[in-house]
Amino acid sequence: MFSAPFKSKAIQAFLSRVGWLAGGEMLARISRLAAAVFLARHLTPLEFGAAALAITTFELVRLFNQNGVGAAVIAAKAEDLPGLCRTAHLAGWLTTLILFLAQSVVAWLVAKQTGRADIGWMIFCLGGVYWFMPMGVVHGWMLHRRQAMKRMAVVNATQVSTDNILTAVFAIMGFGPWAIVLPKLLTAPIWLIGVMWGRPWRPDRTAAFASPRTLAGFALPVLATEMMNASRLHLDKLIISAVFGLEVLGIYYFAFNAGLGLSSALTNAYNNAFFPYLCEAARKTGSALEAFDKAMRTAGLGLCAVLLIQALAVPIYVPLIFGEDWAFAVPLVVILCLGGPAKVLADSCGLLLRASEQPRMESLAIASVTAVTLGALFLGVQMDLQAACLALTAGATLAAITILPVSRNFARPSSTPRVITLEEARS
């Protein structure tokens, strides 16, 4: 009975793609673990806090690059694809210019507000990453549409591993918080070369540009969702910094990276393979719901089990790997690891709605998760850091469980079934 979900060729292919991405991410996380060890032994909590503030600000500005255009390319019908890709390529350059200017202004504001010019310069430096994106974004989206996860696994593993190696080297050389920031700019060309290699996309000059209204109808709700996701993942750090200061933020940032930061290899791999898999199922059968259920019963449950096992192992590996000086952070790491399954479930529900052409409902669902999660955190910070972590995990878990039945209901196929061709049935 339990082996039945694994017999489908589609789910086997999905698991294979998750495996490639997870393998690449795991290789990258091995190097990240080495970098984390050197950082823990060479950076103070205050330096961790400075780097965390710079990285968090960058991630919040960069979320506008996750504007839903890529999701539209992945989900588009074949006949609409050439024009949509031309429009997406042009939008990429415009987005880059706007984001770079916006991040430059934010860098100045943060430096003025904190009195730390070095943090402002770190944020400005990270803005240089944007200029590598527009040349390769469409190529990357086409690789995801084709579910070329082996290629993406190699590219991601190479970039992240190089980033982590440089981080470790710079930490040893005494770069302080710059050891975390500078490698992200230096390794951006690796991603660009990797996604463009072999030209997975060539512009069709004869194709008419896609209608901005059509593109916006899909992209804007997805952008709203990404804004909510980014808020859920990064505003916690700004809240903790505002309430407790940079040094406590550094402790929280360490705890997050020593827990969910290490296991994010698996969650990233799962999400990157999940959406194209659901879109393919929706194109073939008219519904992504059955594919969602199969994936959650296989890879989803397995991933959640791994995250819970990691939480049990935290008291062993944190003092052993990062040193006894960080043993006091063990309870925080455990609590944050216990929130991992909630993130998997919430992300999966959101992607189900997106693949089911319900981006507005996805925005509402993720907004609800974000509001409950950050609301719980706001209550927790009124006491101390451990209470804040407990509230964050409890709020995220409650919200994720709540949106599951709602997402499944809105993803149900219409009463008029789609006729499947013989070729589709055979595939």
Side-chain angles (χ1 to χ4, degrees):
M1 180 180 64
F2 291 101
S3 63
F6 294 90
K7 293 181 180 179
S8 165
K9 289 184 178 180
I11 196 66
Q12 288 176 354
F14 167 68
L15 292 173
S16 174
R17 294 170 192 130
V18 172
W20 273 111
L21 288 172
E25 290 276 3
M26 287 305 295
L27 289 175
R29 285 311 182 269
I30 291 173
S31 64
R32 178 171 184 165
L33 180 60
V37 171
F38 285 106
L39 288 173
R41 297 175 188 274
H42 289 84
L43 267 66
T44 65
L46 187 60
E47 289 173 322
F48 264 115
L53 187 57
I55 296 293
T56 299
T57 304
F58 167 63
E59 293 292 345
L60 287 171
V61 175
R62 190 173 68 163
L63 73 91
F64 289 97
N65 193 54
Q66 309 298 323
N67 49 29
V69 177
V73 169
I74 295 172
K77 297 177 181 178
E79 59 269 23
D80 299 331
L81 194 59
L84 188 60
C85 286
R86 286 195 71 192
T87 305
H89 184 65
L90 181 63
W93 282 102
L94 180 61
T95 302
T96 290
L97 176 61
I98 294 172
L99 290 182
F100 179 76
L101 293 175
Q103 184 145 328
S104 299
V105 172
V106 170
W108 178 77
L109 291 173
V110 170
K112 184 177 181 180
Q113 183 68 27
T114 61
R116 294 281 302 267
D118 58 331
I119 297 178
W121 281 113
M122 284 188 274
I123 296 171
F124 178 78
C125 175
L126 286 168
V129 173
Y130 299 128
W131 292 104
F132 294 94
M133 293 180 178
M135 292 177 282
V137 285
V138 179
H139 296 82
W141 293 331
M142 288 301 294
L143 288 173
H144 276 92
R145 178 183 173 89
R146 297 173 187 175
Q147 303 190 59
M149 300 311 172
K150 182 177 179 180
R151 161 82 77 88
M152 296 308 299
V154 172
V155 172
N156 292 337
T158 303
Q159 181 187 9
V160 176
S161 296
T162 306
D163 182 333
N164 292 329
I165 292 170
L166 289 175
T167 295
V169 171
F170 290 163
I172 294 171
M173 293 174 64
F175 276 54
W178 280 95
I180 300 175
V181 172
L182 193 56
K184 302 191 182 316
L185 176 62
L186 298 178
T187 58
I190 295 175
W191 171 83
L192 179 61
I193 294 170
V195 297
M196 292 188 67
W197 191 270
R199 298 290 295 277
W201 170 71
R202 295 175 185 271
D204 183 355
R205 307 294 182 187
T206 64
F209 285 99
S211 166
R213 180 177 296 181
T214 300
L215 186 60
F218 188 92
L220 290 180
V222 173
L223 172 60
T225 299
E226 294 299 335
M227 291 177 67
M228 292 299 102
N229 274 325
S231 299
R232 178 165 53 103
L233 295 176
H234 301 296
L235 282 184
D236 57 339
K237 301 173 186 68
L238 295 186
I239 292 172
I240 287 173
S241 174
V243 175
F244 298 120
L246 275 182
E247 188 165 358
V248 174
L249 171 61
I251 295 170
Y252 177 81
Y253 190 64
F254 166 82
F256 184 89
N257 281 285
L260 291 178
L262 295 179
S263 59
S264 63
L266 297 175
T267 56
N268 289 342
Y270 184 80
N271 287 340
N272 286 335
F274 196 53
F275 181 60
Y277 163 73
L278 292 179
C279 288
E280 183 182 32
R283 284 193 292 266
K284 287 185 175 182
T285 67
S287 172
L289 185 56
E290 183 179 355
F292 171 84
D293 290 339
K294 288 180 178 178
M296 291 302 292
R297 289 197 300 266
T298 52
L301 284 177
L303 177 55
C304 291
V306 170
L307 295 175
L308 293 177
I309 292 171
Q310 181 192 7
L312 294 175
V314 166
I316 300 173
Y317 76 76
V318 166
L320 181 65
I321 295 176
F322 302 107
E324 290 293 337
D325 289 344
W326 288 99
F328 72 92
V330 164
L332 304 179
V333 181
V334 171
I335 294 167
L336 293 175
C337 282
L338 291 175
K343 183 180 184 302
V344 173
L345 182 57
D347 289 347
S348 298
C349 290
L351 293 175
L352 170 64
L353 290 168
R354 188 179 301 182
S356 303
E357 299 184 353
Q358 296 282 352
R360 290 179 176 81
M361 183 51 59
E362 180 195 9
S363 297
L364 292 174
I366 299 302
S368 300
V369 172
T370 302
V372 172
T373 302
L374 294 181
L377 173 65
F378 184 76
L379 294 176
V381 295
Q382 307 306 316
M383 292 176 277
D384 55 31
L385 183 57
Q386 185 165 321
C389 292
L390 280 169
L392 182 73
T393 296
T397 302
L398 176 63
I401 292 173
T402 302
I403 68 166
L404 175 59
V406 176
S407 301
R408 294 188 79 262
N409 182 62
F410 276 90
R412 293 188 187 280
S414 61
S415 56
T416 304
R418 174 177 174 271
V419 177
I420 305 174
T421 65
L422 180 60
E423 288 77 14
E424 289 177 337
R426 285 174 176 172
S427 66

